[in-house]
Amino acid sequence: MRVLTGSKPTRTLRALMLGTMLSTVLISGAHAEKVLRNGNDGEPQSMDPHYVSTVQTSRLTDDMYLNLMTRGQKGEAIAGAAESWTISPDGLVYTFKIRSHTWSDGTPVTANDFAYSFRRLLDPASGTEYASLLYIIKGAEEFNKGKAKAEDVGVKVVDDRTLEVTLTAPAPYFLSQLAHQTAAPVPKHVIEKFGKDWTKPENIVVNGPFKLAEWVPNVHAKLVKNDKFYDAANVKLDTVYYYTYEDRTAMQKRFRAGELDVVRDIASEQIDWLKANMKDELRIIPYAGIYDYALNTTKKPFDDLRVRRAMALLVDNEAITDKVLKTGELPAYSYVPPGTGNYTAPATVDWKGKPYAARVEEAKKLLADAGYGKDKPLKFTLRYNTSENHKRIAIAVAAMWKQAGIEAELFNTEGKIHYADLKQKNFEVAREGWIADYDDPQNFLFKMEGKTGPLNYSGYNNPEFNALMDKAALMTDLTARAEVLKQAEALVMRDVPVIPIYYYVSKQLVSPKVVGWVDNTPDNHPSRFMDIKQ
């Protein structure tokens, strides 16, 4: 309660305040509610998992929905709604046994829910941007492109507890892929009743460990324990908050004040102070992802390879990782990060290892050949989503470009708007990043396929690259497949639709009060396995 300066509470008011505080203590003591407070570095897009494409949003949907496969404490794919499965000898047919469990309204979850959900995601009328991720399912691509019917999709309900999925080709990553939010089940009976309003807190029905109780846009989302979850007895937390903070410094201040238990990103310029003063809370772990700049190849002058190559040559990756960030990121010269599963060493740009001064001279010559110079500088807008780190990198890169006469105007928006514009090709050059959904090079390279749609931000569409990706999709020999995928990546590195800048590390602050947090390369930390010390 706020009291004006110079005034004193009356006896009645003091009694009321004391009574209120005592009641609060008694209530909290009686319930001993366990609350986890996350600082989330972006606003959620939607609570409908089929319309989610950002890591910041998937953290919430992963807490609310139980896929056939789900994520374990170490980020690995484990049994979820499917208690068991078999795979045919040719690797094409997966048969899942659905565990006995219900939606949060008590309605049984059946194989029909998953068949409905897969077809909903793929239905061209749904307008989902991530549908291409499930093109490995037989008939999925054809249905999504309006060339086949829903019943042609290779998803068959054998009975209420048995689902059969047929693939177009063996896919070593398929089970892991099923843990992704695109494969989440959604409740048909609720969607048909409420339409687009089905995800409002008062209507939403889920089958995961937590349920949405409140969502205040750009402030926070509150999840509460789902008592109908099949393993609710082992879920320790009662409430999980996700507070939206695109300002990393502000998020860190709240953590230091004890108002947040987890911070999902840090301001890199403060890394030295954090290492010196909060080394026990600071977690910096290798992360399967790429940070890059997308060049809109559907717009001039970025349809000119000379321009794209010149811009890439001028970016000093080592200077960004070593002098701007200083948090352990590695300079990137490929699109697929090293160490990715089912792959060899990635294909890199041909200027890797070339002295930077020589790169600058080549860039100047390429720009001159393309018609740009002092009398006609190349001008464009460089977009990035709000973040101190993104801004610092953009300023550094703009300075690198300027030495060759390139003038980049910086423009930032909140993440939701930024990515909406990228999907609509409403940009010239823009910051983007991609985190692996599953451990396979295909999960990076598919973004460059012509058929990928909105997630192919640069609009790259090389028939030779597309053909190599199609060829790899049909291969069962993983060694031979890796070589074909490497040939495909080499084309991307040659054509420069994107400028790789660095390979990610996850950078987080975790309070000692948090129990059950396990550092892992996928950076998946399901609240289901967390606890909080009182």
Side-chain angles (χ1 to χ4, degrees), residues 50 145 151 184 196 220 246 272 346 386 464 466 473 486 501:
H50 294 170
K145 292 183 174 179
E151 51 266 32
K196 291 183 178 180
H220 73 257
E246 294 192 338
D272 293 336
T386 304
E464 185 180 359
N466 296 337
K486 187 169 183 176
I501 296 179

Side-chain angles (χ1 to χ4, degrees), residues 44-64:
Q45 299 163 296
S46 170
M47 297 301 164
D48 186 328
H50 294 170
Y51 294 91
V52 169
S53 62
T54 67
V55 171
Q56 291 81 1
T57 313
S58 67
R59 291 169 185 154
L60 285 79
T61 54
D62 285 353
D63 276 351
M64 293 193 289

Side-chain angles (χ1 to χ4, degrees), residues 499-516:
I499 302 174
I501 296 179
Y502 66 79
Y503 305 118
Y504 275 106
V505 292
S506 61
K507 302 167 291 184
Q508 291 154 136
L509 296 172
V510 181
S511 168
K513 295 191 301 180
V514 176
V515 179

Side-chain angles (χ1 to χ4, degrees), residues 215-281:
W215 184 14
V216 182
N218 296 306
V219 179
H220 73 257
K222 176 184 179 182
L223 308 185
V224 296
K225 181 177 178 179
N226 172 19
D227 291 334
K228 294 291 197 304
F229 179 57
Y230 87 93
D231 196 31
N234 291 313
V235 176
K236 307 298 183 183
L237 298 172
D238 298 295
T239 304
V240 180
Y241 281 98
Y242 286 92
Y243 293 95
T244 298
Y245 278 98
E246 294 192 338
D247 184 333
R248 273 65 171 172
T249 300
M251 188 160 50
Q252 287 170 200
K253 287 180 179 178
R254 286 201 66 182
F255 181 87
R256 290 173 59 191
E259 298 171 1
L260 292 175
D261 305 307
V262 176
V263 163
R264 293 307 297 259
D265 196 11
I266 63 171
S268 293
E269 68 269 20
Q270 297 180 25
I271 186 61
D272 293 336
W273 187 92
L274 290 170
K275 285 180 177 178
N277 296 278
M278 304 188 75
K279 64 179 182 180
D280 293 335
E281 292 88 351

Side-chain angles (χ1 to χ4, degrees), residues 291-295 302 311 379-385 390-399 401 407-413 418 427-432 499 501:
Y291 186 109
D292 62 281
Y293 279 176
L295 309 177
F302 309 105
M311 292 171 62
K379 297 181 179 181
F380 55 83
T381 299
L382 170 60
R383 298 185 55 139
Y384 62 93
N385 52 303
H390 299 336
K391 180 178 180 179
R392 293 168 67 229
I393 293 170
I395 291 172
V397 172
W401 283 334
E407 299 178 11
E409 179 183 0
L410 306 188
F411 179 75
N412 85 285
T413 58
H418 177 79
F427 75 98
E428 292 177 296
V429 181
R431 175 267 159 188
E432 68 154 324
I499 302 174
I501 296 179

Side-chain angles (χ1 to χ4, degrees), residues 172-173 336 340-347 440-446 449 465-475 477-493:
Y173 52 83
V336 180
T340 299
N342 305 316
Y343 207 34
T344 58
D440 191 272
Q442 187 270 350
N443 187 227
F444 289 92
L445 296 175
F446 94 99
E449 291 187 74
F465 172 84
N466 296 337
L468 286 170
M469 293 299 291
D470 288 340
K471 179 181 178 181
L474 298 174
M475 300 178 73
D477 184 327
L478 292 181
T479 302
R481 173 180 178 267
E483 183 55 37
V484 172
L485 289 173
K486 187 169 183 176
Q487 292 173 27
E489 184 181 21
L491 292 178
V492 174
M493 295 299 94

